[in-house]
Structure formats: structure tokens, C-alpha cells
Amino acid sequence: MRRSYLLALQVLVAVVVLVLWHLASSTHVFGNPKTISFFFANPIGVGQKIYTWFVSGSIWYHLWVTLLEALLAFVIGALGGIVFGFWFARKPLVAAVFDPYVKAANALPRVVLAPIFALWFGLGIWSKVALGITLVFFIVFFNVYQGVKEVSQTVLSNGRMLGMGERQLLRHVYLPSALSWVFSSLHTSVGFAVVGAVVGEYLGSSAGLGYLIQQAEGVFDVTGVFAGMFVLMAFVLIVDWLMTVVERRLLVWREA
Amino acid sequence: MNTNAVRAVSLKKVAISFGIGQRNQFDAVVETDLEVGEHEFVAIVGPTGCGKSTLLNAAAGLLAPASGSVEVFGTPLKGINRQAGYLFQQDAMMPWKTVEENVALGLEVAGTKKAEARASARQWLARVGLAAFADRYPLKLSGGQRKRVGLAQVLIRNPKLLLMDEPFGPLDAQTRLLMGDLLLKLWSEDRKAVMFVTHDLDEAIALADRIVIMSAGPRSRIIGNFTVPLPRPRDIAEIRHDPHFIGLHRDIWRALRDEVMKAYRDTPEGEQ
């Protein structure tokens, strides 16, 4: 299928949804437009709201806060995941001893930690960063663990025969292998970093996209809620696209 | 053989076992004596699962024998065999490094300056006919090209002993012939000691100075030893029609046939 054709179809879906939404919230085709726009807002109002946010520039600060929280959560969580993933994979005893605890910690729904983190780290960015870390850490941890465990024995033997010591094996074999697993889980882990930031903001904060949505909900401003959701969607899409670009650069050696 | 000659490898009464405990213990190789001269090309031939690769890994220092001794150029082997280069049957390159980086690796980890190692890598790539592929990644190469890179990766370190584990096994027949020719061409420059494991008798006779036959496993051992009197340089494709080749093939096959049948009989259906 041609790329432009596909794109046209994709845009068509958005147009159809927007038109239906508009018809439902401003004409009597699907019922009372007043009721419908109370529950679902209307696309023009949402568009205007988003337009005002960007024109007045008030949105940038919230976007920046959410981005910063997600970024910090991702970097810290990923580093922790890499270090612990390596450690566990190289020391089977450690892995065996901590196995039930790791599983238990990962089984816990992270939302319940949000109030605790707010208590510990306050309402600023760090309680959101902490929440994001608990999500990112486990994804990266499991991927690195797997990556180190599944290094090809032949590649390892070859490294040894080429004269590598343990440190060189770490640098030339284990680390690249583990990182390739981390990169291939980039979409998931970055996505979770954003989730951590937004959920944290939603549950108590003074800035960020989650805060924006929560504030609008607090006063039954459905238009504001929808506008916040659309900005969030666009934000996640852009981040995801960036990850695709990064992934393509870093995993260029993979089979096409 | 002259007893004073330098031995690249000398295996004495080597036995190799896997698994622990009386019941689970699997004796792959028993009572094996094998000597490889300094400039000798020895092929090791045997039925599937006879422990040919196991023997090679013992010479490489990747496996420690349960008993017996392994000597490399007169010194008992401890840990990895630093004198040896190993060409594996499976893909052994680092897929995340380019072809050039892979070939240069052996020099770089030994402390050679990067620019120097890379220049040498490009020379070696030219020698195996892959100069144009230096910046490619291994996964984007064909099987034959990967083997060439593997050969360059091993030879760049100038090892005194080459260990090869069915290196051309996964390749198609024509590519195998080309790889065999390339190997002989490179080998004839300085005639390193070679231990070449294969199950292909034609390949063994065409390449080697001497052929060692192993019995079917488990508890396999060396049951035959044939010198290949064919003159060098050899043309691998043509040499198959040489009457000496055909005669030798008949003799060796006679020794090998019973073992192949035994291995075939003892292998459960699914593992064929």
C-alpha cells in the first residue's frame, strides 16, 4: 500500500470521528446537544481551549514539567534496572535469594504508592519521578537480566578465544547484548515513565498535564479534561516517534 | 613422525566427561592420544555426536579434560589456549559491531592502537575478498561472507594453531569449495598447525595432511589415522577425480562406515 494512501485513510478516521462528535454535540441528530456536550464537550470548544493554551503559552510550563518528570524517571529507572539486571544475571545466588521479593514488588499496583511518595518526597516533581522509576525500573531490569542471560555461548567463547578477559567481555559482549534488549523495550519503558508522571500529577501536584486534567475535572470542566487528554495524546505520540528514531539509530545492526 | 619435532598440540590419554555423579555422567571422549605437528593440517572425522568438537574445545582450553594432559607447544595448557584461533560452526561474531570492528577486535583487546588495528582489519578483509563490506553488520551478510569475516577475525591475531569446528558445515556445496580454496591459500602462506573437525570425508581429504577417525560416541576414541599423500598446492574441485584421492577415500570410508552405522543406529529418531 502506498504511504500517502495509508496516511489519507488514517486522517479520514480522525475526520469522521470529529464530524460525528461535532454533529452529536451541536445538532439534534443523536439527541439533545446540551446533554451530549455536557458529558462529552464539543470539538470546537476543545480546539479553542487547546489554541488558547498554546497561544497564551500557559501549556508549555505544564508540558515541560511532565516531560522533565518522565525523563528523570526514565533515566534513573533505566540506570537502576541496568545495574541490578547485570548484578542479578551475573550472580545466580543473588537472583535466587531475591527472586520472590522482586516478583512481589513488581506485582504491586504502583498507584497505591503515589500517596506514600507524596508523603515522602512532597508534592513537587520528585514524588512523580519516584512513581515513574518504580514502573521503568522493572521493565529495564527484566530486559537486562534476560539480555545478559541469553548472550550466545558461541559469541562468548569466541570473545574468550580472541583474548578477552572478564572486563572486556563485559564491555564488548554482555553490555551491548543487554543494551539491545533495553533499546527494544524503549517504547514500553518510556511510555511507563510518562504514565508514572501523569498519574502522580493527577493524584496531587501543582503543575503538569495530569494536574491540568485533574483541575478541570474538579470543576466539571469537561472541555478542559478533553483538551488535556488530547494534548497528552499528542505528547505521547511525539515521544513515541522520537523513540522510534532513536531505536532505529541504535539497533541498526539488527536483521532488517 | 620425528619425536623431536615441535608439537603444536599434544593430547595424552585425554578423557572428557559431562555431568556429575555416577549415574548422570556422560563420557564423551576416552583414552585419546593425538599429536599435531607445528605445520601440520590434521582433519578429525567421525560420525555425528562422536565428540569431535569436544576434543577441539579441550585443545582450545574451553573445556578441561576429566583426565589426561593437554600440551600446547610443549607447555601444559592452563585456561584458554592463547596460541590458538578458533573458527566456530555457528555464528560467533558480535552482531552489534561492524565487520571491520569485528575483525579488528582481536588486536584491539590485545592493546594494539585503534587506527593500526583498523588498518590491519581492512587489509585482512581485502584478503578474504570483503573489502567492500567493512561497514556492514554481520547479520546483513550471507552465510559464506560471514565465514570469511570469521576467518579474517581469527587470522588477524596470527595464531600459531587454528582450531576449526565444521566451519563450512552450514554452507552450500559451491560456497564450501570456494571457502576450502580460500582456506588453503591463506594457510599455505605460513602453514599454521590446524585441527579441522568435519563429518565430510571429501572435504577432509582435500584439505588435510593427515586424517584422524573417531569412533561413534559415547566413549569415543581415535580408531584410525591416515596420511594424505596428495601434493600441494591442491585444487579442491579437481582433486576429487585424482585416483589417489579415490583410493584413499575408499580406505578411510571402510574404517568409518561401521562407526557411522553404529552412530546412526544408536541415535533416537528425533535427533537425526
Side-chain angles (χ1 to χ4, degrees), chain A residues 170-181:
Chain A
L170 198 71
R171 189 179 138 206
H172 293 290
V173 182
Y174 286 113
L175 200 59
S177 172
L179 284 181
S180 76
W181 280 71

Side-chain angles (χ1 to χ4, degrees), chain A residues 28-231:
Chain A
H28 283 273
V29 179
F30 298 102
N32 184 357
K34 282 228 167 100
T35 325
I36 291 176
S37 57
F38 176 76
F39 286 109
F40 297 99
N42 66 78
I44 292 176
V46 170
Q48 277 167 347
K49 185 93 180 176
I50 295 174
Y51 180 75
T52 346
W53 278 348
F54 278 96
V55 168
S56 73
S58 65
I59 191 78
W60 295 114
Y61 174 63
H62 297 289
L63 274 174
W64 162 244
V65 167
T66 302
L67 181 67
L68 182 68
E69 289 163 354
L71 211 65
L72 283 170
F74 174 74
V75 169
I76 300 171
L79 279 179
I82 290 172
V83 169
F84 278 89
F86 251 98
W87 188 39
F88 275 46
R90 302 288 286 141
K91 301 268 186 263
L93 179 65
V94 176
V97 169
F98 282 97
D99 180 61
Y101 300 104
V102 170
K103 281 192 185 132
N106 188 37
L108 189 72
R110 276 358 102 72
V111 178
V112 303
L113 292 173
I116 296 274
F117 285 149
L119 193 65
W120 290 350
F121 304 114
L123 290 175
I125 66 165
W126 290 105
S127 55
K128 287 86 198 169
V129 172
L131 194 62
I133 290 173
T134 61
L135 290 162
V136 172
F137 173 83
F138 285 97
I139 298 166
V140 175
F141 171 83
F142 287 121
N143 272 295
V144 169
Y145 183 78
Q146 201 74 5
V148 173
K149 280 270 169 196
E150 294 196 357
V151 168
S152 146
Q153 282 307 309
T154 313
V155 174
L156 270 181
S157 296
N158 191 28
R160 292 210 174 91
M161 291 311 294
L162 290 173
M164 291 186 198
E166 278 304 310
R167 285 185 87 166
Q168 286 166 324
L169 283 178
L170 198 71
R171 189 179 138 206
H172 293 290
V173 182
Y174 286 113
L175 200 59
S177 172
L179 284 181
S180 76
W181 280 71
V182 173
F183 294 143
S184 58
S185 65
L186 218 54
H187 288 279
T188 329
S189 44
V190 168
F192 271 107
V194 176
V195 167
V198 172
V199 169
E201 286 162 1
Y202 186 83
L203 292 174
S205 68
S206 55
L209 287 177
Y211 165 78
L212 222 52
I213 294 172
Q214 194 270 333
Q215 285 293 299
E217 276 180 9
V219 294
F220 289 102
D221 171 13
V222 182
T223 307
V225 173
F226 272 80
M229 289 197 308
F230 279 113
V231 172

Side-chain angles (χ1 to χ4, degrees), chain B residues 28 30 45-52 198-199 201 212-226 251-267 272:
Chain B
V30 293
V45 182
T48 52
C50 76
K52 307 180 290 271
T198 178
H199 57 258
L201 191 49
V212 165
I213 308 290
M214 290 188 77
S215 69
R219 299 185 66 76
S220 71
R221 65 215 149 70
I222 290 172
I223 53 163
N225 193 347
F226 297 83
D251 293 347
I252 300 178
W253 177 244
R254 230 171 251 152
L256 191 57
R257 187 179 51 203
D258 293 343
E259 296 305 323
V260 172
M261 287 320 193
K262 208 189 288 172
Y264 188 77
R265 237 189 357 256
D266 294 347
T267 313
Q272 286 294 330

Side-chain angles (χ1 to χ4, degrees), chain A residues 151-152 154-155 157-164 168 172-174 176-177 180 252-256, chain B residues 60 62 80-82 84 86 88 90-97 105-106 109 137 139-140 153 157:
Chain A
V151 168
S152 146
T154 313
V155 174
S157 296
N158 191 28
R160 292 210 174 91
M161 291 311 294
L162 290 173
M164 291 186 198
Q168 286 166 324
H172 293 290
V173 182
Y174 286 113
S177 172
S180 76
V252 60
W253 54 267
R254 287 257 168 109
E255 241 162 331
Chain B
L62 290 170
I80 295 292
N81 186 343
R82 299 265 163 220
Y86 199 130
F88 293 83
Q90 306 94 333
D91 280 333
M93 276 174 280
M94 327 280 146
W96 40 81
K97 289 180 186 289
L105 202 54
V109 297
Y137 286 91
L139 291 179
K140 318 235 157 152
Q153 189 182 44
R157 294 175 62 241

